[in-house]
Amino acid sequence: MNKKTENKAVSPWQWVPSLYFAQGIPYVVVMSVAVILFKRMGMSNTDIALYTSGLNLPWVIKPLWSPLVDLLKTKRWWIVVMQILVGAGLAGIALTIQGPLAFRYCLAFMWLLAFSSATHDIAADGFYMLGLNEKKQAYFVGIRNTFYRFAVIFGQGILVMFAGWLEQRYAREMPETAAIPQAWSLTFYLLTILFALLFVYHYLFLPHPRRDTCTLPPQQASAGRVFKEFLGTFTSFFQKKHIVSALIFILLYRFAEAQLVKITSPFLLDTPATGGLALSTAEVGFIYGTIGVIALTIGGIAMARRGLKSCLWTMTIAMNLPNIVYLYLSFARPESIGIISGCVAIEQFGYGFGFTSLTYFMMLFSNGKHQTAHYAICTGFMALGLMLPGMISGWIEESIGYRAFFVWIMLCTIPSFWATHLVRKNLTDNHSDNSSR
């Protein structure tokens, strides 16, 4: 059944969109949906930010096992196996959310999702680079980010809207404390079915690129050889040109967003007495579900035509400046869903446009031998830049309040501009500029 994909070329349109939609689902569940879920379960902002930011850890440390994905088995094999584990994690949440110790079990299955998703990211990103030439990589970076963003919108928008609608429906028949877990349980059951369908599609129709082979053949995979190759992969990454400025850029580019993303949903859900906007779960889902993703595609096409260097300042501004809308919302406290949706759409549009530049930079920086593992190391540093600021964001907000917190967020955009200045000096938009010394 897979011989079809081996014997004929498969258009990237047949697998890039679906693969990155599947890649986005577990990440958005762990990083965004979990924030709303735990808020509805009555957790404090401090705990929400701490635990959900801590779930970034698998993405931080995935470089430790990324060489194994590069050395053992094919990227296609890893993708298929990890999608099975992701489906198991989603099913586990659906099964346990209504029972005793729901938070403990949900968090445990979130960790399964996180580790499976992080490994899936390594394989999928490597598969993308092996399956496409550099020209197509540049063209499809906007497409892949768009469909990844569709997954984010599906999770933060449609999925949350559906859970909120179920909450309201069940609340007519039972106490809210029972309605909320039942609503979310059914939501996760349906999400499990959707992911199972994606797994079947990819098992049947993902191509078999000729370059998608084990770096280390099975007959040579002794413990000593694996360790030697493993060590060589890490050493070659830190020998790349301009490694210091590149790591500063990767760590600090999303410094403000790392904190903002953990607090926006609680801000929209919290009561006016605590500084929030008192929206329902369904309304929060509607707001995130009505935003555009065109900027991601535009960003990818613009870099393919003009190069990263000429787009970088524009994208950094787009990434950071729109955060000011939350400062406005915290002071104005508008009641109109239209105004709130418009403000969130501006911030999300800018984020989507700006994030494309970081993705493409990491791809270019990873070019060369061991590009799958090197890209995973880059994303690991990016995850570290998200995890550490995010873990303390809830404590900062509860210490100073929403208004002062959003002022703090605007100050936190400064490191992003500084990091952009550092890395831009070394960019030439020439792929060979990112090779090892």
Side-chain angles (χ1 to χ4, degrees):
M1 82 186 101
N2 289 329
K3 285 182 181 177
K4 274 173 133 184
T5 57
E6 291 181 25
N7 296 331
K8 68 175 184 178
V10 179
S11 167
W13 286 102
Q14 292 180 251
W15 59 272
V16 171
S18 63
L19 181 62
Y20 280 88
F21 183 81
Q23 182 170 316
I25 286 178
Y27 185 81
V28 73
V29 167
V30 170
M31 292 293 112
S32 300
V33 177
V35 173
I36 299 172
L37 172 61
F38 293 155
K39 187 68 178 178
R40 298 299 291 150
M41 291 172 69
M43 293 180 62
S44 69
N45 288 355
T46 298
D47 288 340
I48 291 171
L50 179 64
Y51 286 117
T52 59
S53 294
L55 288 169
N56 264 307
L57 183 63
W59 283 273
V60 174
I61 64 175
K62 72 180 181 181
L64 297 178
W65 68 86
S66 64
L68 298 179
V69 178
D70 214 17
L71 297 171
L72 308 176
K73 300 290 187 180
T74 64
K75 310 303 179 294
R76 193 184 194 279
W77 182 90
W78 285 101
I79 288 170
V80 169
V81 171
M82 290 306 108
Q83 288 187 359
I84 294 173
L85 293 180
V86 168
L90 293 171
I93 294 172
L95 286 166
T96 59
I97 197 170
Q98 295 187 73
L101 304 175
F103 170 71
R104 182 178 299 179
Y105 286 116
C106 283
L107 190 60
F109 282 113
M110 288 287 182
W111 277 103
L112 174 61
L113 281 179
F115 275 102
S116 303
S117 179
T119 308
H120 184 279
D121 288 358
I122 298 169
D125 291 336
F127 191 82
Y128 177 86
M129 290 185 282
L130 293 172
L132 302 175
N133 59 37
E134 288 184 348
K135 185 176 179 180
K136 286 186 177 180
Q137 286 179 34
Y139 179 78
F140 275 93
V141 69
I143 306 302
R144 82 178 209 170
N145 281 350
T146 296
F147 278 86
Y148 186 93
R149 193 63 180 162
F150 275 141
V152 174
I153 289 174
F154 174 78
Q156 293 183 168
I158 297 172
L159 198 69
V160 175
M161 284 176 64
F162 180 71
W165 175 74
L166 287 177
E167 284 181 13
Q168 294 174 348
R169 181 181 175 186
Y170 290 143
R172 302 189 196 111
E173 306 167 1
M174 60 186 72
E176 187 179 57
T177 52
I180 290 174
Q182 184 163 331
W184 284 93
S185 177
L186 179 57
T187 300
F188 272 93
Y189 275 123
L190 295 177
L191 184 59
T192 302
I193 294 171
L194 172 63
F195 206 83
L197 293 174
L198 286 168
F199 155 73
V200 171
Y201 177 82
H202 291 137
Y203 178 76
L204 295 175
F205 297 112
L206 273 183
H208 292 257
R210 291 183 178 179
R211 294 192 297 160
D212 185 20
T213 58
C214 305
T215 303
L216 196 61
Q219 62 270 22
Q220 299 179 23
S222 65
R225 182 69 184 275
V226 169
F227 179 76
K228 182 180 178 181
E229 292 288 336
F230 182 92
L231 192 61
T233 300
F234 274 94
T235 302
S236 62
F237 176 80
F238 289 101
Q239 290 176 341
K240 282 180 174 287
K241 291 181 180 179
H242 314 303
I243 182 66
V244 175
S245 60
L247 290 181
I248 290 173
F249 178 69
I250 293 169
L251 286 168
L252 295 182
Y253 186 71
R254 302 175 69 184
F255 184 65
E257 185 238 340
Q259 300 172 72
L260 183 70
V261 71
K262 295 302 175 184
I263 302 301
T264 51
S265 292
F267 168 64
L268 297 177
L269 290 165
D270 257 336
T271 63
T274 57
L277 299 184
L279 301 185
S280 68
T281 305
E283 287 172 329
V284 171
F286 171 76
I287 289 172
Y288 280 110
T290 55
I291 54 179
V293 295
I294 298 174
L296 282 168
T297 306
I298 294 173
I301 294 173
M303 281 186 297
R305 292 180 178 177
R306 298 172 56 200
L308 177 61
K309 187 174 183 178
S310 58
C311 296
L312 193 55
W313 274 123
T314 301
M315 291 187 160
T316 304
I317 292 170
M319 182 81 173
N320 290 283
L321 195 57
N323 293 342
I324 200 170
V325 298
Y326 287 102
L327 187 60
Y328 162 76
L329 289 174
S330 66
F331 279 92
R333 303 275 187 86
E335 297 182 0
S336 167
I337 293 295
I339 293 176
I340 297 172
S341 298
C343 289
V344 173
I346 291 170
E347 182 269 327
Q348 291 287 298
F349 185 88
Y351 161 75
F353 190 76
F355 181 60
T356 305
S357 62
L358 180 59
T359 303
Y360 193 48
F361 172 80
M362 292 190 299
M363 287 171 56
L364 293 181
F365 193 73
S366 302
N367 277 345
K369 190 179 180 182
H370 303 304
Q371 61 182 2
T372 298
H374 287 177
Y375 188 84
I377 294 171
C378 286
T379 57
F381 278 104
M382 181 183 70
L384 181 64
L386 290 174
M387 184 181 79
L388 296 180
M391 291 181 75
I392 62 171
S393 60
W395 173 79
I396 294 173
E397 184 281 317
E398 291 194 333
S399 299
I400 63 179
Y402 282 116
R403 288 178 176 176
F405 176 78
F406 293 129
V407 172
W408 163 252
I409 288 298
M410 296 311 299
L411 294 174
C412 288
T413 64
I414 296 173
S416 178
F417 286 100
W418 174 67
T420 298
H421 168 70
L422 285 181
V423 79
R424 191 176 181 275
K425 295 186 299 182
N426 300 323
L427 286 175
T428 64
D429 283 330
N430 186 328
H431 292 181
S432 65
D433 184 50
N434 298 294
S435 60
S436 297
R437 284 194 182 101

